């Protein structure tokens, strides 16, 4: 007996596994179906049992599903399978479900049949992990996708209700079929913390999904570590050093953060605990009374005493570099003598390591809470050291008087040299001095020790001697790059040696050479000719003037004889030595050329002579060209100021002033001086403050170029700036907070730019934010030592929190980033009262019931509004004006509500306030009416308002007169 279609015989529904059958698929789902079309899916039954089974299909109940099979009753042998087809032809655009039953004896297998219309199939990632970030107030962005794998568009909404600086955009939207939408998650790393937040995401067709946002924010820590054990270093003690020497200490600078950092070392001035050149062992009253010295040490440049190499650079993540600190104390002159043992100078100064980036300036107090650039890492290092004068004391004093002696004799003085310093030893060396000798010549005197020194006078000639004996003090002196030390003389001490060498009293008999002798010497070689005057008896010597005689004159060329040198008869022994080829010698009497030869082993060859001549000519031409260029430049300068010699009658000091320099000449002078930066010179806060003050005094607010145009500007703006130079360019404030603003409102904040460098710089703002696109200009050429401000314009069409950052470059080099904050809100109006009670004012019935309500606009954008009265069954008795209008920013507008009295008019009414792209408010109006008739009729009305019954007593009092209808 056949079972009717759609009817079911009560049977036990079991799974296919229990009946040793495998049905594929277990659920037949027709997806993305359209009305009017036909869809088919196969169903396969496999007999896994050992016996034959009789299988029967029962057609679905709903007409949209139809079973297509050749034989609905079939006996299926063991191991075999059969396939049937289910056809689905929807007639409506809706989801339909049914069941297909497969009967095996008294048991049945249920296969769900589902027909689905085209729908969206949205998917989203469940986690956004920013990883490890540095707390530098920079906004980081991660993108995730919402993918729609379905064939119908799907809607989504996102919502974050936490208090952390997390912004998700867009908050809602539609994803088209087979496409995706990018969702941006912005996070501002403003402070160190571990973030594990949840944002709610609603996808169409799915329950709410929670999006996990994970961030680990750490501080960007710069650390100084010891070279030996990698422990943190907070102070470096240089100890004691003589003035003029140096001491060097090393440390490791460590970037303990996951991001690279540009850093610069700055010497801090006028900090708490600073000591500059004061003697901490000196009594307070003595130190305070020496006001001249206190003023002098207050104005010293401490960067001349302390050096840090390197003092700028870039550290990669978790990178360590070696930094060398050099302490070189220099003597600051006091009213006392330099060799006073109490002239000790102690130093305690602080060095700061700053990260390079946007900042708020150096003229403000570093401890002020308004400084937002404190988020940039600052490491402070204390440096202490003491400078001592070199003191050597001699028991005989600085002047030594030796006993007179003769040539070949010796006069000695033994003195005691003492080092009174109990802190440092003294290494000395006596420089060599003629006729004097010191033993030992060099040595070392330990702390508080003495040493005997023997000073000897050994004359080699007769005379009175008063010489200065230099004592060089040797110590460790830093080299030019301040990274190594070498022993060099750094100080000198003078001793004065006095003595006399007397001539010998021995009488020597004069022996005269009967031959001809030159006038400059004598034959004995012991006495000069001037000694002949002491002797009355001496043999006459024939002296001949060779220029007056013509004896043995030979026929010779007078021109050749003119430049010849005279050779004496007794210098024959020296005539065999090589001579100069350009010098000629002739005899004194005959003027005959004397034999002269040139040694070929030591003389120049012809080619060498030509090279030497070319070398000399090259330098001669170079000097000549320099001179001609200098003269030409001088002539051009003189040519600019043409004048004549005509006397115009001006008197000296008559009030004529020199012409002032133009602005271009001033800029040229500024950029020509100090453009080069000493790589070993530290920056100091005092110098930075003075530079900033000069730059602030020279404001340039108009005519700033967007690109360099002149050759001078192009040359300056193409220079590659170091971190030390970029640190002298202030771009701030580092946070531009626009506060609470309205959608589509235009807001402006100034971004200050201070150029402390003596050169042009090129500032470029890398702004890719649509909200800041209305800013007038994004690049500026800033003159040397000048300041300006850039007006940043913000306008957003979307409501919500805004946290974004943009970077800027200085001469195409990254200089930092600026954080932009705003709370963008939709426009809204506030009512002074939500319910208005109209009382009678006056006696004219048409105008006596009126009150005013105030519309307050507390935001920075004008608001358009319109009133809409609510119609009731009894009509509209209230009117308001103006019915539409505009409320200016931060102002209010009063609207007047009037009630038209009448016996059939309602005493209650409502107005709906519509704000364009804003909120909607409701104003309730109640007219308090009391009417008295001839019989003084009273009635009460009770009405439920909220949760309270309010009783209203209405009294009508009417009077009729010729002038009209009056009431009270």
């Amino acid at each position: 007996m056949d079972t009717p279609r759609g009817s079911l015989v009560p049977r036990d529904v079991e799974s296919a596994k229990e009946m040793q059958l495998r049905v594929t698929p277990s659920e037949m789902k027709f997806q993305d179906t359209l009305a009017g079309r036909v869809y088919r899916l196969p169903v396969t039954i496999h007999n896994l049992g050992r016996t034959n089974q009789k299988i029967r299909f029962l057609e679905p109940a709903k007409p949209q599903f139809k079973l297509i099979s050749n034989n609905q009753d079939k006996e299926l042998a063991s191991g075999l399978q059969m396939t049937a087809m289910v056809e689905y032809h929807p007639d409506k655009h809706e989801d339909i479900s049914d069941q297909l039953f497969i009967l095996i004896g008294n048991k049945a297998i249920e296969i769900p049949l589902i027909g689905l219309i085209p729908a969206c199939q949205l998917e989203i990632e469940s986690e956004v992990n920013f990883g490890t970030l540095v707390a530098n107030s920079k906004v980081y962005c991660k993108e995730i996708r919402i993918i729609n794998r379905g064939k119908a568009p799907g809607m989504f909404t996102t919502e974050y209700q936490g208090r952390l600086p997390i912004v998700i955009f867009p908050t809602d939207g539609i994803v088209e079929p087979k496409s995706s939408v990018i969702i941006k998650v912005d996070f501002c790393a403003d402070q160190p913390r571990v973030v594990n937040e949840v944002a709610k995401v609603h996808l169409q067709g799915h329950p709410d999904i929670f999006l996990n946002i994970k961030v680990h924010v750490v501080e960007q820590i710069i650390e100084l570590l010891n070279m030996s054990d990698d422990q943190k270093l907070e102070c470096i003690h240089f100890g004691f050093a003589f003035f003029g020497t140096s001491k060097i200490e090393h440390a490791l600078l460590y970037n303990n953060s996951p991001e690279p950092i540009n850093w610069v070392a700055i010497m801090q001035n006028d900090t708490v605990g600073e000591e500059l050149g004061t003697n901490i062992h000196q009594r307070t009253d003595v130190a305070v009374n020496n006001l001249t010295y206190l003023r002098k040490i207050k104005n010293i440049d401490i960067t001349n005493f302390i050096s840090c190499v390197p003092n700028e650079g870039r550290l990669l993540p978790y990178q360590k570099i070696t930094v060398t600190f050099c302490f070189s104390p220099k003597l600051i002159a006091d009213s006392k003598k330099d060799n006073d043992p109490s002239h000790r100078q102690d130093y305690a100064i602080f060095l700061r390591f700053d990260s390079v980036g946007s900042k708020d300036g150096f003229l403000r107090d570093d401890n002020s809470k308004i400084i937002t650039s404190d988020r940039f890492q600052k490491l402070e290092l204390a440096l202490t050291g003491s400078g001592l004068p070199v003191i050597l004391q001699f028991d005989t004093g600085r002047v030594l008087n030796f006993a007179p002696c003769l040539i070949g004799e010796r006069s000695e003085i033994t003195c005691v040299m003492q080092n009174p310093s109990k802190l440092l030893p003294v290494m000395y060396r006596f420089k060599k001095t003629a006729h004097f000798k010191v033993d030992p010549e060099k040595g070392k005197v330990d702390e508080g020790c003495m040493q005997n020194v023997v000073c000897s006078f050994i004359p080699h000639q007769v005379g009175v001697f008063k010489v200065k004996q230099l004592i060089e003090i040797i110590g460790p002196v830093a080299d030019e790059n301040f990274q190594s030390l070498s022993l060099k003389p750094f100080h000198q001490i003078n001793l004065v040696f006095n003595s006399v060498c007397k001539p010998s009293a021995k009488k020597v008999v004069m022996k005269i050479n009967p031959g001809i002798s030159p006038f400059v010497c004598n034959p004995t070689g012991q006495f000069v000719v001037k000694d002949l005057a002491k002797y009355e008896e001496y043999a006459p010597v024939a002296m001949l003037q060779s220029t007056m005689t013509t004896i043995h004159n030979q026929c010779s060329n007078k021109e050749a004889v003119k430049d010849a040198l005279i050779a004496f008869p007794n210098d024959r022994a020296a005539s065999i030595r090589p001579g100069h080829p350009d010098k000629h010698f002739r005899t004194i009497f005959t003027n005959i050329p004397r034999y002269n030869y040139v040694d070929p082993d030591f003389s120049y060859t012809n080619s060498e002579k030509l090279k030497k001549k070319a070398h000399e000519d090259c330098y001669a031409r170079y000097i000549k060209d320099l001179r001609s260029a200098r003269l030409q430049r001088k002539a051009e300068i003189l040519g600019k100021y043409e004048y004549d010699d005509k006397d115009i009658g001006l008197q000296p000091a008559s009030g004529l002033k020199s012409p002032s320099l133009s602005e271009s000449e001033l800029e040229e002078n500024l950029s020509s001086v100090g453009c080069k930066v000493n790589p070993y010179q530290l920056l100091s806060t005092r110098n930075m403050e003075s530079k900033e003050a000069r730059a602030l005094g020279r404001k340039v607010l108009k005519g700033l170029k967007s690109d360099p145009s002149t050759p001078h500007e192009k040359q300056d703006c193409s220079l590659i700036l170091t971190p030390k130079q970029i640190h002298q360019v202030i771009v701030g404030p580092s946070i531009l907070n626009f506060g609470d603003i309205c959608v589509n409102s235009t807001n402006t904040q100034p971004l200050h730019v201070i150029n402390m460098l003596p050169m042009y710089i090129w500032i470029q703002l890398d702004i890719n934010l649509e909200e800041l696109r209305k800013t007038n200009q994004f690049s500026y050429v800033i003159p040397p030592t000048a300041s300006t401000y850039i007006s940043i314009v913000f306008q957003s069409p979307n409501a919500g929190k805004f946290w974004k950052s943009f970077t800027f470059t200085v001469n195409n080099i990254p200089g930092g980033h600026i954080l932009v904050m705003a709370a963008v809100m939709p426009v809204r109006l506030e009512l002074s009262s939500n319910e208005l009670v109209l009382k009678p004012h006056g006696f004219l019935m048409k105008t006596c019931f009126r009150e005013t309500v105030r519309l307050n606009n507390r935001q920075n954008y004008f608001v358009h509004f319109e009133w809409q009265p609510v119609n009731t069954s009894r009509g509209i008795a209230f009117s308001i004006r103006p019915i539409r209008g505009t409320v200016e920013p931060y102002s209010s507008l009063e609207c007047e509500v009037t009630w038209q009295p009448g016996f059939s008019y309602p005493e209650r009414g409502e107005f709906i306030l519509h704000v364009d792209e804003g909120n909607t408010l409701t104003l309730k109006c109640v007219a308090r009416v009391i009417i008295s008739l001839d019989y003084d009729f009273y009635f009460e009305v009770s009405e439920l308002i909220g949760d309270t019954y309010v009783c209203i007593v209405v009294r009508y009092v009417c009077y009729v007169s010729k002038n009209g209808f009056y009431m009270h």
Side-chain angles (χ1 to χ4, degrees):
M1 179 179 176
D2 295 333
T3 304
R5 182 176 182 264
S7 64
L8 293 177
V9 178
R11 291 179 176 85
D12 297 332
V13 179
E14 296 186 9
S15 64
K17 186 177 181 180
E18 294 175 353
M19 293 184 290
Q20 295 183 349
L21 291 177
R22 183 170 61 197
V23 179
T24 308
S26 60
E27 180 184 63
M28 303 187 72
K29 184 180 292 185
F30 298 87
Q31 295 185 354
D32 303 327
T33 60
L34 299 176
R37 295 188 180 183
V38 179
Y39 303 91
R40 292 182 179 180
L41 285 178
V43 56
T44 302
I45 302 173
H46 189 190
N47 185 5
L48 302 178
R50 297 182 179 181
T51 60
N52 297 344
Q53 295 189 16
K54 188 176 181 181
I55 297 174
R56 181 184 178 190
F57 290 94
L58 189 63
E59 289 192 4
K62 293 184 179 180
Q64 288 87 355
F65 296 96
K66 183 178 180 182
L67 178 65
I68 301 176
S69 177
N70 296 331
N71 189 3
Q72 295 187 0
D73 295 337
K74 186 175 181 181
E75 189 172 350
L76 188 61
S78 174
L80 298 182
Q81 64 182 16
M82 64 174 295
T83 301
M85 192 70 65
V86 177
E87 187 178 86
Y88 174 59
H89 46 89
D91 54 358
K92 295 181 181 179
H93 191 68
E94 62 181 1
D95 295 335
I96 300 176
S97 61
D98 203 348
Q99 297 87 23
L100 174 66
F101 289 93
I102 303 175
L103 304 179
I104 300 97
N106 293 328
K107 298 181 180 180
I109 299 174
E110 180 184 356
I111 299 178
L113 302 178
I114 303 173
L116 300 176
I117 62 176
C120 60
Q121 188 178 352
L122 301 180
E123 297 177 1
I124 189 174
E125 300 177 14
S126 61
E127 182 180 287
V128 178
N129 195 341
F130 286 86
T132 304
L133 303 179
V134 172
N136 56 2
S137 292
K138 188 176 182 180
V139 178
Y140 297 86
C141 180
K142 283 284 186 179
E143 294 182 354
I144 59 174
R145 290 181 178 272
I146 298 179
I147 304 174
N148 186 3
R149 303 187 185 278
K151 293 186 178 181
M155 298 179 61
F156 70 91
T157 57
T158 60
E159 182 182 4
Y160 172 71
Q161 297 179 347
R163 296 183 178 181
L164 296 184
I166 298 175
V167 178
I168 302 176
F169 182 81
T171 57
D172 53 19
I174 297 176
V175 187
E176 297 297 329
K178 304 299 181 181
S179 64
S180 63
V181 172
I182 295 178
I183 303 297
K184 293 183 178 182
V185 181
D186 293 338
F187 175 76
C188 180
D190 56 344
Q191 59 181 340
R193 54 182 145 199
V194 177
V195 178
N196 191 4
E197 290 290 302
V198 174
K200 185 185 294 184
V201 181
H202 175 72
L203 302 178
Q204 183 178 346
H206 293 274
D208 290 342
I209 299 174
F210 293 100
L211 179 65
N212 294 324
I213 303 173
K214 297 182 178 181
V215 193
H216 185 202
V217 186
V218 298
E219 290 185 358
Q220 188 164 34
I221 302 176
I222 307 177
E223 297 179 351
L224 270 176
L225 308 177
N226 284 319
M227 297 291 294
S228 56
D229 52 3
D230 283 352
Q231 294 294 323
K232 287 187 178 181
L233 187 63
E234 296 180 353
C235 181
I236 292 179
H237 301 280
F238 289 103
F240 301 97
F242 285 124
F243 294 117
T245 61
S246 301
K247 274 201 167 184
I248 284 181
E249 296 289 341
H250 300 279
L252 291 176
L253 188 64
Y254 177 41
N255 178 17
N256 190 10
S257 62
E259 288 190 5
I261 181 174
N262 292 330
W263 64 275
V264 62
I266 300 178
M267 185 65 65
Q268 297 189 99
N269 300 101
D270 300 331
T271 55
V272 178
E274 181 185 64
E275 294 289 344
L276 294 179
T278 57
N279 189 351
I280 60 175
H281 295 285
Q282 196 175 31
R283 291 189 326 190
T284 305
D285 56 344
V286 177
V288 171
N289 289 332
N290 197 356
L291 298 178
T292 304
Y293 179 71
L294 292 178
R295 285 192 295 266
K296 186 181 295 183
I297 64 174
K298 187 177 181 180
N299 296 325
I300 64 173
D301 188 2
I302 195 61
T303 58
N304 296 328
F305 295 70
I306 298 292
S307 61
C308 173
V309 180
N311 51 43
E312 61 178 341
R314 180 178 178 84
L315 281 175
L316 299 178
Y318 306 105
Q319 182 187 8
K320 296 180 181 179
I321 63 171
T322 303
V323 181
T324 304
F325 302 94
C326 182
F327 173 59
S328 304
K330 294 179 176 58
L331 181 63
I332 303 173
D334 196 359
S335 58
K336 303 177 182 179
K337 296 182 179 180
D338 295 345
N339 58 357
D340 193 331
S342 64
H343 201 96
R344 166 178 169 172
Q345 295 173 2
D346 298 308
Y347 297 90
I349 54 180
F350 298 91
L351 187 66
R352 190 176 71 199
F353 292 85
D354 282 359
S355 60
V356 178
S358 57
K359 61 190 79 69
D360 299 303
F362 297 92
L363 292 177
R364 301 170 178 85
D365 185 10
D366 288 342
N367 298 324
S368 176
K369 295 182 180 179
I370 63 174
I371 298 298
T372 55
S373 61
D374 286 343
R375 71 178 191 271
F376 293 99
Q377 174 63 26
K378 296 178 181 179
L379 169 67
E380 191 174 73
L381 175 68
L383 303 172
T384 62
S386 300
L388 302 176
V390 178
I391 303 172
L392 281 180
Q393 295 178 351
F394 296 85
D395 60 344
T396 57
R398 294 291 182 92
V399 180
L400 278 70
N401 296 316
F402 292 87
C405 61
L406 301 177
I407 296 177
E409 296 180 356
R410 176 190 296 260
S411 177
E412 295 182 350
I413 296 178
T414 302
C415 62
V416 178
M417 184 169 57
Q418 181 183 4
N419 176 19
S421 175
K422 297 182 180 180
L423 300 173
L424 292 175
V426 177
M427 296 178 63
Y428 67 90
R429 181 176 64 194
F430 286 87
K431 294 198 71 174
K432 291 185 177 182
T433 305
H435 311 290
F436 293 93
K437 185 178 180 181
V438 181
D439 186 29
E441 292 185 356
K442 57 183 178 180
K444 179 180 179 182
V445 184
D446 292 330
E447 302 90 331
C449 295
M450 295 182 293
Q451 184 175 356
N452 292 331
V453 178
V454 178
C455 302
S456 303
F457 172 58
I458 308 174
H460 299 289
Q461 67 183 44
V462 177
V464 178
F465 299 93
K466 184 178 181 180
V467 299
K468 287 185 178 181
Q469 174 65 57
L470 297 180
I471 305 176
E472 292 182 340
I473 308 301
I474 301 173
V477 180
D479 56 5
E480 294 181 355
N481 57 6
F482 300 99
Q483 290 187 332
S484 61
L485 299 176
S486 58
L487 293 177
K488 294 180 181 179
F490 66 92
H491 185 67
Q492 289 183 346
I493 298 177
N494 296 329
L495 297 180
V496 180
F497 288 170
N498 296 327
S499 188
V500 177
C501 179
K502 297 181 179 179
S504 176
K506 183 179 180 181
K507 185 177 180 181
V508 180
V509 179
M510 180 68 177
K511 294 182 180 181
I512 303 300
N513 185 4
I516 300 176
S517 298
F519 186 74
V520 296
C521 64
N522 57 53
T524 62
Q526 296 181 4
F527 302 98
V528 294
V529 177
K530 65 180 180 179
D531 296 333
L532 295 177
K534 301 178 182 179
Y535 302 96
E536 297 180 356
E537 298 179 357
Y538 58 89
V541 179
M543 305 297 292
L544 179 64
Q545 296 181 3
S546 61
T547 58
M548 302 295 292
T549 183
T550 58
I551 301 177
H552 305 293
N553 279 355
Q554 305 294 330
C555 297
S556 60
N557 188 0
K558 294 183 178 181
E559 296 295 332
V561 179
K562 183 177 180 181
D563 296 331
L565 301 175
I566 302 300
F568 292 101
N570 60 348
D571 69 346
R572 180 61 61 185
S575 65
I576 62 174
R577 61 186 176 183
H580 197 278
D582 297 334
K583 293 183 179 180
H584 303 283
F585 294 87
R586 293 184 179 272
T587 59
I588 189 172
F589 297 114
T590 60
N591 290 333
I592 297 175
R594 195 190 67 177
Y595 172 73
N596 187 29
Y597 78 99
V598 178
D599 191 352
D601 294 334
F602 298 95
S603 62
Y604 287 111
T605 62
N606 293 333
S607 60
E608 290 175 343
K609 291 179 181 179
L610 293 176
K611 289 182 180 179
K612 183 180 178 184
K613 184 66 168 55
H615 186 71
E616 293 175 353
D617 293 343
C618 178
Y619 278 95
R621 286 193 304 270
Y622 176 70
I623 295 173
K624 185 178 179 181
D625 294 341
L626 287 179
R627 181 176 181 275
S628 61
R630 185 174 65 255
L631 294 177
Q632 183 179 359
R633 212 163 40 243
K634 184 177 180 180
E636 291 176 356
I637 295 175
L638 293 176
K640 293 181 180 179
Y641 307 99
E642 297 181 357
Y643 64 94
D644 53 15
D645 297 334
K646 185 177 179 180
D647 186 7
I648 58 177
L650 288 177
Q651 298 296 327
S654 60
L656 185 63
K657 296 182 179 180
S658 301
S660 58
L661 295 176
S662 63
E663 185 176 355
S664 60
E665 291 174 339
L666 287 175
E667 293 179 2
E668 183 177 357
N669 293 335
L670 283 173
S671 52
S672 61
V673 179
C675 284
K676 295 183 179 180
V677 178
N678 185 2
Y680 306 113
Q681 185 76 20
L682 279 171
L683 294 177
S684 65
T685 54
R686 180 182 298 172
N687 293 337
M688 300 282 279
E689 289 172 1
S690 61
K691 291 180 181 178
E692 183 179 359
R694 288 197 300 269
L696 288 174
R698 189 185 179 210
K699 292 186 179 293
V700 182
L701 303 179
K702 295 181 179 180
L704 289 175
K705 303 177 183 177
S706 59
D707 298 300
S709 57
T710 65
H712 190 190
E713 293 174 354
K714 291 180 179 179
Q715 180 181 2
D716 286 353
C717 296
S718 63
L719 296 177
I720 298 177
L721 301 182
T722 62
K724 189 190 300 184
Q725 290 174 314
I726 295 178
H727 200 62
Q728 299 181 60
V729 178
I730 299 176
V731 180
S734 53
I735 296 180
L736 292 177
N737 192 350
F738 289 88
D740 296 338
I741 58 177
C742 280
V743 175
N744 296 323
S745 63
T746 302
N747 306 271
T748 304
Q749 287 278 0
L751 182 66
H752 297 275
V753 179
I754 303 175
N755 178 21
M756 294 183 282
L757 297 175
M759 56 183 290
Y760 287 93
I761 59 171
W762 189 21
I763 299 290
Q764 291 177 291
L765 306 179
D766 188 12
I767 297 179
N768 295 324
L769 306 176
E770 293 295 333
E771 290 80 1
L772 302 179
R773 281 298 177 185
K774 288 194 174 183
T775 302
N776 185 26
Q777 193 173 331
F778 295 104
S779 63
Y780 296 84
V781 177
I782 311 299
T785 318
S787 62
T788 185
Y789 68 86
I790 302 170
S791 296
I792 304 297
V793 181
F794 180 87
Q795 184 178 11
S796 175
N798 303 311
K801 292 189 299 183
F802 184 87
W803 293 70
K804 292 286 184 180
S805 61
F806 65 89
T807 60
F808 64 90
T809 60
V810 184
N811 286 11
N812 293 321
I813 299 174
H817 64 273
I818 305 295
L819 175 64
V820 181
M821 297 172 52
V824 185
M825 300 179 297
V827 293
R828 60 179 293 113
L829 289 177
E830 296 179 3
L831 293 176
S832 59
S833 176
N834 294 328
E835 184 173 353
L836 199 63
V837 179
L838 282 74
K839 299 178 181 179
H841 299 281
F843 299 98
L844 292 177
M845 184 176 58
K846 294 185 178 181
T847 60
C848 66
F849 288 91
R850 64 182 183 276
E851 289 293 341
T852 58
V853 62
R854 184 180 295 106
L855 304 180
N856 297 319
N857 181 11
R858 306 184 188 278
Q859 296 176 319
N860 65 330
Y861 195 58
F862 57 87
V863 180
H864 299 287
F865 71 91
E866 183 178 0
W867 291 102
Q868 179 185 356
V870 178
N871 195 1
T872 62
S873 58
R874 297 173 60 187
I876 300 175
F878 292 88
S879 63
I880 189 170
R881 59 180 182 180
I883 195 171
R884 65 179 60 86
T886 302
V887 184
E888 297 295 328
Y890 304 109
S891 62
S892 61
L893 179 67
E894 288 190 351
C895 296
E896 185 181 51
V897 180
T898 306
W899 180 67
Q900 182 67 35
F903 291 102
S904 62
Y905 288 169
E907 293 83 13
R908 294 181 176 274
E910 290 184 358
F911 290 96
I912 299 177
L913 177 65
H914 295 281
V915 178
D916 289 352
E917 300 180 359
N919 59 332
T920 300
L921 299 174
T922 301
L923 175 64
K924 294 183 179 181
C925 302
V926 178
R928 182 172 295 177
V929 183
I930 301 177
I931 301 177
S932 177
L933 301 177
D934 292 341
Y935 297 98
D936 290 337
F937 176 77
Y938 293 87
F939 65 92
E940 295 183 1
V941 180
S942 298
E943 183 175 354
L944 179 63
I945 299 177
D947 296 333
T948 306
Y949 282 95
V950 178
C951 180
I952 302 175
V953 179
V954 183
R955 180 186 181 198
Y956 293 89
V957 181
C958 303
Y959 298 95
V960 180
S961 65
K962 296 181 181 180
N963 296 330
F965 180 75
Y966 291 86
M967 64 183 177
H968 62 84

